[in-house]
Amino acid sequence: MPYAMGEYYEQVNDYDLEYQSQSEQDLPFWRELVMRYTPSRVLELACGSGRIGLELLHAPGNFVLEGLDIEQGMLDAYQRKLAREPEEIQQRAILHHGDMCDYDLEHKGQFDLIFLPFNSICHLYEIEQQLCAFRTTYEHLAPGGHFVVDTFLPDIDYLSDALNRPSTVYLEDEIESPDGEFTMLLYTTRKYDPHEQLQHITWTHEKFFESGENERYLSKLDMHLFFPRELQMLFISTGFSVEAIYGDYLWKPFGKGSRQIVVGRKPKHN
């Protein structure tokens, strides 16, 4: 079965609307992270349309922030948002179209911090893809630099439903557009493949407009689920030491929340 990713991200405006509330959850964590590490050069993998990156550029510090994404439409949206920022902000941002499994940036070996936020690692479906992404990231980090990966902790009860009741429809969210033009309902059906550790999600996006019209479209999204030891082994097997693991965006210890935020570090000396 071919893996589905791109079509889910093609409706950039809807994506931004769907995940605006996520910023309340994770942005304080990423701001605090750059304040703690005081990097001079940062790379965000799977940077999308700039939900996190644009906010970080307004955080304390004068670091250069580079972003990399495989979806050109997302990068175009990010660039449009950047164009509305002050010149000082624009000069500190560099965007790249590329694959996180195989990138080769000008400042390779000079990044103090590279991060992969909000479940984007789940689009690395094959073991070789995962290893390539981690090895490439290792090469781009400066000695002593950090690589931070944020993804959800697999929920066994949830997966059991996706495995045994794949036709169940879930109402995920109801969202009002900022201008009041429409209300959007989001539904999903989920099927879990335990052998590949893949969750196959079909999203139904249904918009009800003030005009009385409505619009409905489907998109598919596949996500690889990372179990804790598996994710930690990816760090260790590619040369990183695991410096810390947090359980949520409030810096709670791993196991005290629904996430696994792993902080890997490249050795200062080979």
Side-chain angles (χ1 to χ4, degrees):
M1 170 179 285
Y3 301 127
M5 179 185 71
E7 65 176 25
Y8 179 74
Y9 298 105
E10 288 171 1
Q11 303 281 344
V12 178
N13 290 336
D14 286 352
Y15 177 87
D16 285 348
L17 183 60
E18 289 167 28
Y19 290 103
Q20 60 183 358
S21 61
Q22 175 63 24
S23 295
E24 300 172 12
Q25 305 294 320
D26 62 358
L27 271 176
F29 175 87
W30 297 114
R31 283 199 208 98
E32 174 69 21
L33 192 78
V34 296
M35 289 173 66
R36 289 188 183 190
Y37 291 157
T38 61
S40 59
R41 188 169 293 276
V42 180
L43 172 62
E44 179 184 3
L45 299 175
C47 63
S49 58
R51 180 181 69 82
I52 295 173
L54 284 167
E55 292 294 329
L56 290 186
L57 286 165
H58 288 277
N62 197 35
F63 55 87
V64 173
L65 176 65
E66 302 194 27
L68 181 138
D69 204 284
I70 201 169
E71 293 294 330
Q72 187 61 53
M74 284 285 185
L75 290 173
D76 291 344
Y78 196 158
Q79 192 64 59
R80 288 193 295 270
K81 295 173 189 176
L82 266 177
R84 299 194 291 265
E85 294 288 339
E87 185 67 23
E88 182 272 331
I89 294 292
Q90 295 184 40
Q91 290 177 352
R92 290 170 46 219
I94 305 170
L95 301 182
H96 307 276
H97 181 235
D99 187 336
M100 72 174 99
C101 298
D102 182 25
Y103 59 97
D104 187 9
L105 304 184
E106 179 183 353
H107 297 285
K108 186 176 185 177
Q110 299 176 39
F111 290 93
D112 309 293
L113 172 64
I114 299 178
F115 68 102
L116 181 55
F118 193 47
N119 310 326
S120 294
I121 190 176
C122 298
H123 297 315
L124 299 176
Y125 303 114
E126 303 285 358
I127 291 174
E128 193 54 43
Q129 281 183 304
Q130 296 160 11
L131 289 170
C132 285
F134 274 67
R135 288 170 182 148
T136 303
T137 297
Y138 185 94
E139 292 170 357
H140 278 73
L141 278 171
H146 292 91
F147 180 34
V148 184
V149 175
D150 162 39
T151 189
F152 56 85
L153 193 61
D155 183 321
I156 300 303
D157 290 336
Y158 192 82
L159 293 180
S160 176
D161 284 344
L163 181 64
N164 298 306
R165 289 181 285 277
S167 60
T168 302
V169 178
Y170 300 91
L171 174 61
E172 297 286 348
D173 209 349
E174 179 177 335
I175 304 169
E176 298 284 341
S177 65
D179 56 9
E181 183 185 358
F182 62 84
T183 299
M184 181 163 58
L185 301 182
L186 301 174
Y187 300 91
T188 61
T189 57
R190 300 169 182 258
K191 183 179 181 181
Y192 180 57
D193 180 342
H195 305 292
E196 295 293 331
Q197 291 176 215
L198 270 180
Q199 187 174 208
H200 303 289
I201 309 170
T202 299
W203 292 81
T204 302
H205 311 250
E206 194 159 18
K207 293 182 181 179
F208 297 89
F209 293 87
E210 285 295 306
S211 63
E213 299 177 336
N214 68 299
E215 174 185 305
R216 188 169 180 263
Y217 66 92
L218 302 179
S219 60
K220 293 183 183 295
L221 183 70
D222 291 344
M223 303 184 78
H224 178 88
L225 274 64
F226 286 86
F227 288 87
R229 295 290 177 88
E230 172 189 9
L231 182 53
Q232 293 164 40
M233 282 298 295
L234 270 175
F235 278 91
I236 294 167
S237 65
T238 50
F240 293 95
S241 61
V242 175
E243 190 171 271
I245 309 175
Y246 301 104
D248 67 5
Y249 297 122
L250 299 176
W251 306 85
K252 290 180 182 175
F254 178 62
K256 299 294 185 182
S258 61
R259 304 200 68 77
Q260 43 184 334
I261 306 173
V262 184
V263 179
R265 191 171 193 187
K266 181 176 180 176
K268 287 186 176 180
H269 307 287
N270 291 328

